[in-house]
Amino acid sequence: QVTLEESGGGLVQAGGSLRLSCAASGNIRSIATMGWYRRPPGKQRELVATIASGGSTDYAESGKGRFTISRDNAKNTVYLQMNSLKPEDTAVYYCTIRILFDVNPYWGQGTQVTVSS
C-alpha cells in the first residue's frame, strides 16, 4: 500500500506564490517519476510538471518560467514551487508517482489552489 499526502494549497492573490509538497509513504521500493497534475474547474486533468529519478524535468507550457518541480529522494517527497500565480492556475492539484516495476501510478487526494484576481 502506498499513500501520497499533499499539502500547501490554499487561496492566494494573483502574482503570489505557493509551494506544494507531496510525501509518499508505505511499500515503496524505488520511485521512478514524480509529478504534478491539475484539474481546473469544469476541465479535464492536465499535466503540470514531472521529474525523473535522475532529476530531469518536464513542464507544461502554462507553467514554464513560473513553476519549479523538485524532489527529495531521501524523504520520498516532491515539491512544486509556483510563482507569479494567475487566476487560470486555479485548480485541484494532484501529485503522482511511478514506482519501479509497478504497473499503475499512484495518486494523491488533491489539494485546492485558488488564485484570486
Side-chain angles (χ1 to χ4, degrees), residues 6-103:
E6 297 140 335
S7 60
L11 173 64
V12 64
Q13 288 189 331
S17 299
L18 283 175
R19 188 190 194 213
L20 305 183
S21 300
C22 174
S25 61
N27 186 18
I28 299 172
R29 297 174 298 282
S30 179
I31 299 176
T33 303
M34 308 181 84
W36 291 93
Y37 284 70
R38 68 185 184 186
R39 188 192 301 273
K43 297 183 179 180
Q44 292 189 337
R45 189 163 56 190
E46 61 188 27
L47 170 71
V48 177
T50 60
I51 183 166
S53 57
S56 60
T57 58
D58 185 35
Y59 293 92
E61 201 62 38
S62 58
K64 285 182 179 178
R66 301 187 299 125
F67 295 175
T68 302
I69 189 171
S70 60
R71 62 191 284 174
D72 184 332
N73 292 327
K75 296 181 179 179
N76 291 328
T77 299
V78 61
Y79 306 95
L80 184 68
Q81 177 67 43
M82 303 186 292
N83 299 326
S84 302
L85 283 161
K86 306 174 182 179
E88 51 264 43
D89 294 318
T90 295
V92 178
Y93 284 71
Y94 300 89
C95 73
T96 182
I97 67 170
R98 282 194 176 273
I99 294 176
L100 203 61
F101 305 126
D102 279 6
V103 174

